[in-house]
Amino acid sequence: TVIVDTGSGVTAFPCETCKDCGNGYHSDAYFQESESSSFEKYTCDKCEWATCRNKGSDDDEYCHLSVSYQEGSMWNAYEGSDVTYIGGLHDRSINPESDNTEDGVRLHGAIHGEDPLDAPDFSFDMTFGCQTLITGLFKTQLADGIMGMCLKDSSIFNQMLKQKLINTPSFSLCFMRADDAAKDGSVAGALTMGGTDEKLHLAPMAYARGFRTKGVMHGVSIRKMWIMSSGQYDALDANSENTVQIDISHNDINSGSIIVDSGTTDTYMTRYLNAPFKKAFKQVTGFDYKENGMHLTDTQISELPTILIQLEGHPDNTDGSAEQLDSEFPSDVLVSIPPAHYIEYDSDSKKYVGRFSMTEYSGSVLGANTIRGHDVYFDIPENGRIGFAPSECDYEEFLGIDPEDEVESARKKAIDEDYYTDDEDDIYFFDPEADHPCDDACKKGIVGLGVVAAVALLIVVVYKRKAS
């Protein structure tokens, strides 16, 4: 499993040579690259985005990757590749032929990748970092590694585009929060590669102006910010009667740059917002907002407001969501952050902690708690936009099936058909030379995926079975 990170450009996770790399914390074991006949460790003549090390050495030549993070974590890796599909199961590879219907397709007559059992039909050669050292939060987090989804060529969606698995350099990310977290995975939403799926949307998607910032980041521009009184949680409920505008200039709120970063858990805004935000918050609630913790009564909890961020709309936007609140800019996009997304109870301090901070000296980060509850469509390279649609992000409800039941059914069928044998033949879980199974109904090149605990990233391994 990996964190889906729109602020990173490289995908990496621990491999078998990684020592003390969080095996007791992570949801899965290290990737055993030596057991994969399709895995390739890059030498200096094949380095994609890494730095050559020990060139000319038969045993030690490799392509070195290293990334450090502001909060103190870092990792080292060597570059390699293997046949990969995103989604599917956590614990084993899937045979794409093992559970097809008679016509060879599922879900409305086409293989879109929405069904977890269709995932291998969208396999590709993924270049990634085989981690040999990790520190900090990368060691103790539940997810094994990280999936790079910024605007670098090394990002997963750009690799899929280059290999013609999707037709556009875009994807949408929909976060939800499960009632509990489990080491073997919790439903966390949906990821759609190559487009967005309207079946996830509770209202039409509204498009904000999106652009590259800091070279490779997904950037947006904020026009205004508002505090909406308690009891109203949807951006479409906002109007002039139930909101208070935060008194901050356009230049101040956009100082530095503003990025949409799914790999940052909380939202971190410019320090210029601190005083005007807290003034508007107290005007609406009657009490102070404190990021480091608040003692709140039941009444005060019920009075917690919703934060509204008004993003500048895309020039071609026809379905803005700001019309009721700002008639001057009706095509702008309102993004709501309800109390459950920015307030969290800390049982140790017995305080309610704010997860919406205003301390940044250079720019702002709209993190995962801002994305949550929206299907966010990252579509900057071709169309210069980022779309937002309210969504419950419930992938299982979207499918209309229980993936666990479907998986168990497929396994039983594979056993009944004696798919797993004890002879010396190679067992191929998919045919890498086969034609792409997508028909005309897949013409948009959209691959739908469930996000479990982050995203299940399964390496397809071709094993040699022994006769015993």
Side-chain angles (χ1 to χ4, degrees):
T1 53
V2 288
I3 295 171
V4 184
D5 188 2
T6 59
S8 295
V10 179
T11 296
F13 41 84
C15 290
E16 60 190 10
T17 58
C18 203
K19 304 299 182 185
D20 189 26
C21 290
N23 197 32
Y25 297 97
H26 296 165
S27 60
D28 298 288
Y30 303 159
F31 173 52
Q32 303 295 308
E33 67 270 27
S34 66
E35 296 183 19
S36 172
S37 63
S38 52
F39 174 77
E40 179 184 4
K41 180 179 180 179
Y42 288 172
T43 51
C44 290
D45 59 327
K46 289 191 175 181
C47 292
E48 291 267 6
W49 303 288
T51 303
C52 171
R53 292 285 176 89
N54 303 328
K55 187 172 183 179
S57 171
D58 293 337
D59 297 328
D60 297 328
E61 183 178 318
Y62 69 100
C63 301
H64 176 73
L65 288 167
S66 183
V67 179
S68 299
Y69 297 84
Q70 190 172 1
E71 41 77 23
S73 300
M74 62 82 64
W75 53 262
N76 291 335
Y78 64 84
E79 198 173 51
S81 71
D82 209 333
V83 181
T84 306
Y85 56 83
I86 304 173
L89 310 182
H90 276 267
D91 59 348
R92 67 185 67 187
S93 299
I94 310 170
N95 169 29
E97 304 300 328
S98 67
D99 194 38
N100 281 353
T101 55
E102 291 183 3
D103 59 358
V105 296
R106 309 183 195 87
L107 290 179
H108 314 297
I111 297 177
H112 294 283
E114 296 162 333
D115 190 322
L117 297 174
D118 286 335
D121 293 313
F122 298 90
S123 59
F124 64 104
D125 294 320
M126 180 183 71
T127 296
F128 62 97
C130 231
Q131 290 174 334
T132 57
L133 171 70
I134 62 175
T135 67
L137 295 178
F138 271 93
K139 183 181 292 188
T140 58
Q141 68 187 19
L142 179 63
D144 305 287
I146 193 164
M147 175 193 282
M149 296 290 276
C150 75
L151 294 169
K152 284 186 175 181
D153 291 342
S154 54
S155 67
I156 290 295
F157 70 93
N158 274 325
Q159 290 193 52
M160 293 180 73
L161 177 73
K162 184 177 180 180
Q163 296 180 52
K164 301 183 187 240
L165 266 296
I166 56 177
N167 292 336
T168 65
S170 66
F171 63 95
S172 59
L173 182 58
C174 203
F175 278 158
M176 63 178 288
R177 185 168 183 171
D179 293 333
D180 50 34
K183 188 172 181 181
D184 60 351
S186 301
V187 175
L191 173 66
T192 308
M193 304 299 291
T196 185
D197 199 317
E198 295 180 356
K199 292 191 287 293
L200 284 168
H201 302 168
L202 300 176
M205 179 166 278
Y207 292 96
R209 184 172 68 89
F211 47 86
R212 286 177 178 264
T213 187
K214 297 183 176 180
V216 294
M217 297 298 184
H218 304 270
V220 292
S221 180
I222 295 177
R223 193 183 304 277
K224 300 175 183 178
M225 288 188 63
W226 311 76
I227 299 291
M228 184 164 63
S229 57
S230 63
Q232 312 295 323
Y233 308 110
D234 194 313
L236 297 177
D237 296 329
N239 56 57
S240 59
E241 301 297 322
N242 62 9
T243 57
V244 170
Q245 184 176 347
I246 298 172
D247 185 17
I248 184 170
S249 70
H250 183 270
N251 286 339
D252 282 348
I253 192 61
N254 289 284
S255 64
S257 60
I258 301 170
I259 66 171
V260 183
D261 184 2
S262 64
T264 301
T265 306
D266 299 340
T267 291
Y268 297 89
M269 301 297 295
T270 173
R271 69 191 190 282
Y272 296 124
L273 181 63
N274 187 57
F277 175 90
K278 291 181 177 179
K279 180 180 178 181
F281 185 96
K282 189 168 186 177
Q283 181 180 338
V284 171
T285 64
F287 56 90
D288 293 321
Y289 176 80
K290 300 176 182 178
E291 295 101 311
N292 59 357
M294 300 168 278
H295 292 290
L296 300 178
T297 66
D298 290 344
T299 299
Q300 289 174 323
I301 293 170
S302 68
E303 292 173 349
L304 286 168
T306 293
I307 301 169
L308 294 176
I309 300 177
Q310 183 176 336
L311 301 176
E312 291 183 15
H314 187 269
D316 298 331
N317 203 13
T318 57
D319 290 313
S321 53
E323 184 174 7
Q324 289 190 131
L325 185 59
D326 190 349
S327 58
E328 184 180 0
F329 300 102
S331 63
D332 279 357
V333 178
L334 287 180
V335 178
S336 64
I337 312 176
H341 296 190
Y342 73 90
I343 296 289
E344 186 173 283
Y345 183 69
D346 180 13
S347 57
D348 292 333
S349 66
K350 294 183 171 51
K351 292 181 180 181
Y352 290 88
V353 179
R355 310 305 291 265
F356 185 91
S357 300
M358 295 154 287
T359 56
E360 296 302 295
Y361 281 82
S362 178
S364 300
V365 179
L366 304 182
N369 64 337
T370 296
I371 295 173
R372 183 179 162 196
H374 304 89
D375 189 32
V376 181
Y377 182 29
F378 295 83
D379 187 27
I380 289 176
E382 288 191 351
N383 295 302
R385 62 184 186 175
I386 297 182
F388 290 82
S391 175
E392 294 178 354
C393 302
D394 192 330
Y395 185 68
E396 293 183 6
E397 182 178 341
F398 163 69
L399 284 177
I401 62 171
D402 184 335
E404 291 185 5
D405 290 345
E406 292 290 307
V407 167
E408 185 61 28
S409 173
R411 287 175 179 166
K412 288 179 179 179
K413 184 171 182 179
I415 293 171
D416 291 343
E417 294 177 356
D418 195 27
Y419 176 69
Y420 300 103
T421 65
D422 289 328
D423 58 27
E424 286 283 336
D425 293 335
D426 291 342
I427 294 179
Y428 291 90
F429 294 103
F430 72 98
D431 179 4
E433 301 300 328
D435 292 335
H436 194 286
C438 213
D439 62 12
D440 289 340
C442 281
K443 61 185 178 181
K444 291 185 179 179
I446 296 177
V447 184
L449 308 165
V451 184
V452 183
V455 165
L457 187 71
L458 302 185
I459 308 299
V460 181
V461 182
V462 182
Y463 288 101
K464 188 74 148 182
R465 305 244 335 171
K466 295 188 182 288
S468 61

